[in-house]
Amino acid sequence: MIQDLVPGRVAGWDSFEDRLRFTPHPAEAASLRSRAPARRREFANGRYCAHRALRRLGTPALAIPAGARGAPRWPDQVVGSITHCPGYTAAVVARRTRVRALGIDAEPHLPLPADVLEFVARPEERARVRRLLAERPGAHWDRLLFSAKESVYKTWFPVTGRFLGFHEAEVRIDPEAGTFGVRIPDSGGAGPALPRELTGRWRISGGLLVTAIAVPAPEGER
Ligand SMILES: CC(C)(COP(=O)(O)OP(=O)(O)OC[C@H]1O[C@@H](n2cnc3c(N)ncnc32)[C@H](O)[C@@H]1OP(=O)(O)O)[C@@H](O)C(=O)NCCC(=O)NCCS
């Protein structure tokens, strides 16, 4: 599923298996000491998908330790993103010369608790989501908005090294095209590294909801 949401220059790997047989490299597992078995499992699932994606990209098999604020430390010249939720794990990677940043997120396709929507959505986003929920009741647009914002953060943080609050980005879902637009009005810290406006793709399938953002590298680097 993940490969359909990213351009061809991005290599993806995903799995619907919750117990993938994979032992993370010691450098990867270092951050997991004293963590609960369920967390170790989701971490291992994510690293498995990441290594398969790297192999698909044709890069050497190197460890992917956890870096600042939990962001994966990808091999030099590679950008990537990992997500996991019950019943699904995915990773995407690309060469830095071709892609500036990647962010993906998977969620169960379920309603978002009302208080969470209040917390994550700007007033205009809440209004749009409520309209979509009323006019197109087949999809949990509130959960989709949340997932898109998680993808924004995963795209944003590795480039800027800065936290981004939920209300700092505005997401507008296109229910027909399977895309969403992102506007980061105050991109302080990002500078020219990341455009103020991004585009992502979304998909709902098999009880899951997945969002993905791939920011192309500037022309000169491609
Ligand atoms: C970090 C965060 C985005 C993870 O999302 P999640 O839905 O809880 O969990 P997912 O399974 O989808 O993703 C977890 C993976 O994200 C990656 N990740 C964690 N922190 C990250 C960061 N700072 N930057 C990029 N990727 C990160 C990791 O690969 C992690 O898996 P791993 O620890 O097994 O390697 C979320 O917990 C969070 O902190 N959000 C607050 C910030 C935010 O979303 N702002 C919205 C801006 S509009």
Side-chain angles (χ1 to χ4, degrees):
M1 172 148 70
I2 197 66
Q3 194 68 59
D4 295 344
L5 293 180
V6 288
R9 55 187 174 271
V10 177
W13 191 276
D14 56 8
S15 173
F16 299 90
E17 171 63 61
D18 266 341
R19 288 171 184 270
L20 296 167
R21 288 169 185 270
F22 181 70
T23 305
H25 187 280
E28 296 175 336
S31 62
L32 284 182
R33 277 188 215 106
S34 79
R35 299 301 292 269
R39 169 61 183 132
R40 289 171 170 273
R41 199 172 307 124
E42 68 166 22
F43 180 88
N45 289 345
R47 284 320 189 259
Y48 171 83
C49 289
H51 285 289
R52 296 303 297 244
L54 283 174
R55 203 182 303 167
R56 190 170 261 179
L57 191 67
T59 58
L62 295 170
I64 311 159
R69 277 189 179 260
R73 263 200 288 135
W74 299 99
D76 286 350
Q77 310 310 321
V78 171
V79 295
S81 184
I82 296 172
T83 186
H84 23 58
C85 73
Y88 188 69
T89 308
V92 289
V93 293
R95 293 183 194 283
R96 197 180 286 279
T97 49
R98 307 202 65 199
V99 174
R100 183 73 189 95
L102 289 167
I104 61 171
D105 184 71
E107 300 279 329
H109 183 221
L110 295 170
L112 198 65
D115 56 335
V116 178
L117 182 65
E118 290 290 317
F119 182 71
V120 302
R122 295 157 67 107
E124 65 273 28
E125 292 173 323
R126 283 202 291 273
R128 284 198 294 268
V129 159
R130 288 194 177 120
R131 205 173 311 129
L132 282 171
L133 288 170
E135 290 171 3
R136 295 169 180 260
H140 297 299
W141 304 104
D142 44 358
R143 180 75 67 162
L144 179 48
L145 180 85
F146 175 72
S147 176
K149 290 200 167 202
E150 298 283 66
S151 283
V152 170
Y153 181 65
K154 292 183 192 177
T155 306
W156 165 272
F157 180 81
V159 174
T160 65
R162 190 167 84 72
F163 185 78
L164 188 71
F166 280 101
H167 290 217
E168 289 186 83
E170 184 190 347
V171 170
R172 187 183 287 262
I173 298 164
D174 185 328
E176 298 284 351
T179 59
F180 58 91
V182 182
R183 207 172 58 86
I184 306 173
D186 173 14
S187 63
L194 212 55
R196 274 167 190 258
E197 299 198 1
L198 310 172
T199 306
R201 302 196 67 79
W202 61 267
R203 166 78 56 88
I204 295 172
S205 175
L208 292 166
L209 181 163
V210 184
T211 56
I213 297 172
V215 183
E219 286 294 330
E221 295 175 34
R222 278 183 231 174

